């Protein structure tokens, strides 16, 4: 059981708001500082192939700022040679490999590691040798977890999106089924020596059952926090999420 669950705050959608106007604000690096000062352990950013939110310049600024502060950057990226070159150049603390389709609104499913083991493994090897901890974003599927462990990745991030959607839609039966699968996946991954992270779609209402899974060491949360920031500010939103994570872990 990891006593404390780390919180990575994903600041992509600060860039979404900025890019809606093509101006320089709001600045994702400023949001990153606010999130860290409010209790985030690290910052997560997804450099998408189409650069719809985070830009190359954002990654330059975030990497430099976080290095200076000694805080971790978790770079989410597709498994492509372009992204590999960028990650090798910046050497972020962590790289999370995600599936990416240009037409999707967000990362809709997990990586097919079982089907793509042969081409994913060299990416894991190169990034790890360069000093980044590699995480694979996968669904709660025993075959994917097994395959993830064979790539040599240190971490799996379990996709919580379907669970969060079912819980928010009030489909208690489906949510309960998906939570059981997430718990089993976390246990299996940990038994294979993988560190377990979780993320996607998490809000105040869904965070507790996920944070209470004993093997979960880190949560990555973005869209909800940036939305909540409109009403109460990013700092207070991070503080409240942190409070709920800690309470869930303490069994409250
Ligand atoms: N983890 C991964 C791998 C993701 O792709 C995302 C979305 O970019 C998140 C966590 C954060 O999801 P959300 O923005 O829905 O909280």
């Amino acid at each position: 059981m990891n006593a404390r669950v780390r919180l990575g705050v994903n600041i992509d959608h600060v860039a979404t708001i900025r890019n809606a106007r093509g101006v320089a604000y709001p600045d994702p690096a400023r949001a990153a500082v606010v999130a860290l000062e409010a209790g985030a352990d690290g910052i997560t950013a997804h450099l998408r192939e189409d650069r719809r939110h985070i830009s190359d310049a954002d990654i330059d600024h975030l990497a430099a700022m976080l290095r200076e502060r000694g805080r971790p950057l978790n770079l989410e990226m597709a498994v492509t040679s372009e992204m590999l070159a960028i990650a090798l150049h910046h050497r972020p603390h962590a790289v999370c490999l995600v599936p990416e389709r240009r037409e999707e609104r967000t990362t809709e499913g997990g990586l097919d590691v079982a089907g793509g083991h042969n081409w994913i493994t060299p990416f894991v090897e190169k990034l790890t040798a360069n000093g980044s901890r590699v995480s694979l974003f996968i669904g709660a599927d025993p075959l994917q977890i097994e395959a993830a462990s064979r790539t040599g990745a240190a971490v799996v991030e379990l996709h919580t999106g379907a669970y969060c959607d079912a819980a928010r839609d009030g489909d208690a039966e489906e949510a309960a089924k998906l939570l059981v699968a997430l718990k089993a996946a976390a246990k299996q991954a940990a038994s294979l020596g993988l560190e377990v992270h979780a993320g996607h779609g998490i809000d105040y209402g869904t965070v507790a059952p996920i944070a209470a899974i004993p093997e979960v060491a880190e949560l990555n949360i973005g869209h909800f926090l940036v939305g909540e920031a409109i009403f109460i500010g990013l700092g207070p939103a991070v503080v409240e999420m942190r409070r709920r994570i800690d309470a869930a872990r303490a069994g409250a």
Side-chain angles (χ1 to χ4, degrees), residues 10 12 46 76 96 98 107 137 157 199-202 220-223:
N10 183 317
D12 293 348
H46 186 173
E76 294 176 354
C96 182
V98 302
T107 312
F137 188 48
E157 180 162 327
H200 212 282
I202 296 174
N220 285 299
I221 308 178
H223 183 260

Side-chain angles (χ1 to χ4, degrees), residues 113-134:
V113 192
H117 176 265
N118 289 346
W119 61 274
I120 291 171
T121 299
F123 281 79
V124 174
E125 287 171 353
K126 286 183 186 131
L127 290 162
T128 304
N130 195 51
S132 295
R133 294 192 84 209
V134 180

Side-chain angles (χ1 to χ4, degrees), residues 103 136 181:
E103 67 275 20
L136 303 179

Side-chain angles (χ1 to χ4, degrees), residues 120-195:
I120 291 171
T121 299
F123 281 79
V124 174
E125 287 171 353
K126 286 183 186 131
L127 290 162
T128 304
N130 195 51
S132 295
R133 294 192 84 209
V134 180
S135 163
L136 303 179
F137 188 48
I138 57 174
D141 172 344
L143 288 178
Q144 297 296 343
I145 292 162
E146 229 284 305
S149 90
R150 281 187 278 118
T151 66
V155 181
V156 284
E157 180 162 327
L158 299 175
H159 197 314
T160 53
Y163 163 72
C164 293
D165 286 346
R168 256 191 303 275
D169 291 348
D171 188 344
E173 200 179 314
E174 179 69 4
K177 200 177 80 189
L178 293 167
L179 187 59
V180 166
L182 285 166
K183 287 179 181 171
K187 190 171 275 190
Q188 181 195 357
S191 78
L192 292 169
L194 292 157
E195 184 170 299

